[in-house]
Amino acid sequence: MQIVKDIYGEADMESFGATLSVALRSGGVVYLEGDLGMGKTTLVRGMLRGMGHEGPVKSPTYTIVEPYELADLEVYHFDLYRVGDAEELEFMGIRDYFTEQSLCLIEWAEMGRGILPQADLIVRLDLIRQGRHAVLEATTDKGLIAMTKLRDLVVD
C-alpha cells in the first residue's frame, strides 16, 4: 500500500507532518528519505506539533538524536548523515531507543544498515517543480495499520 501527496511550501510540509502524527500515535519506526534540503526535519516538526509538542524542534545533524518526551509517547528524531560506520550506533546504545512506547523518526537510515530495525513506514521526499512529492510506503503490519488510518486523511 502506498500514499502519494504533493506538498507546496514549509507550512504545507508541517501540516502534512501533523496529519501523519495522527496515524503514528502508537509508535513505530519511520525512515525519512530524501536528499539534503527536502524538508525531512520540517516534516518531523509538523509531526511533533501534531502530537502536542510546543518547544523547539532542532535538526539532530550533530547530536545524532533529539529526544522528545510527550504525554504518552517518547519520540526520537535521528539524523545519521554524519555517521561514518554503522557500528558507531551500537556504541551509543541505539537499540535501547526502539521500544513499544517510542516513535523513532530516522533520517539517512541507510547509514545504519545492519543495526537499525526494519521501518514500519518509509516516507520518501523528492523535489517537484514548485514543492515536494511525498510517497509513503508501509513495510510491516504496524505500518499498514498506520497507512489505513492515513488513507482517509491524506487527499491530494
Side-chain angles (χ1 to χ4, degrees), residues 48 53 56 60 63 65-69 74-77 97:
L48 287 165
H53 177 72
T63 59
V65 62
E66 284 291 332
Y68 300 91
E69 293 204 24
E74 296 172 347
V75 179
Y76 300 103
H77 178 199
Y97 291 93

Side-chain angles (χ1 to χ4, degrees), residues 82-101:
R82 298 194 183 283
V83 171
D85 184 327
E87 288 297 316
E88 291 177 39
L89 301 175
E90 288 286 14
F91 295 124
M92 69 174 271
I94 196 164
R95 294 178 197 265
D96 295 338
Y97 291 93
F98 299 96
T99 70
E100 288 299 315
Q101 296 79 34

Side-chain angles (χ1 to χ4, degrees), residues 7-56:
I7 300 166
Y8 300 97
E10 187 173 333
D12 197 19
M13 184 67 80
E14 284 193 32
S15 176
F16 182 58
T19 300
L20 282 176
S21 75
V22 172
L24 296 171
R25 291 191 189 277
S26 61
V29 178
V30 179
Y31 289 0
L32 303 168
E33 298 180 348
D35 291 335
L36 290 170
M38 285 296 106
K40 296 180 295 291
T41 297
T42 303
L43 181 66
V44 169
R45 183 179 313 115
M47 293 169 73
L48 287 165
R49 297 269 186 267
M51 293 178 176
H53 177 72
E54 295 179 5

Side-chain angles (χ1 to χ4, degrees), residues 112-125:
R113 190 172 288 122
I115 303 293
L116 296 175
Q118 177 181 1
D120 296 303
L121 190 66
I122 298 172
V123 179
R124 172 83 192 158
L125 300 172

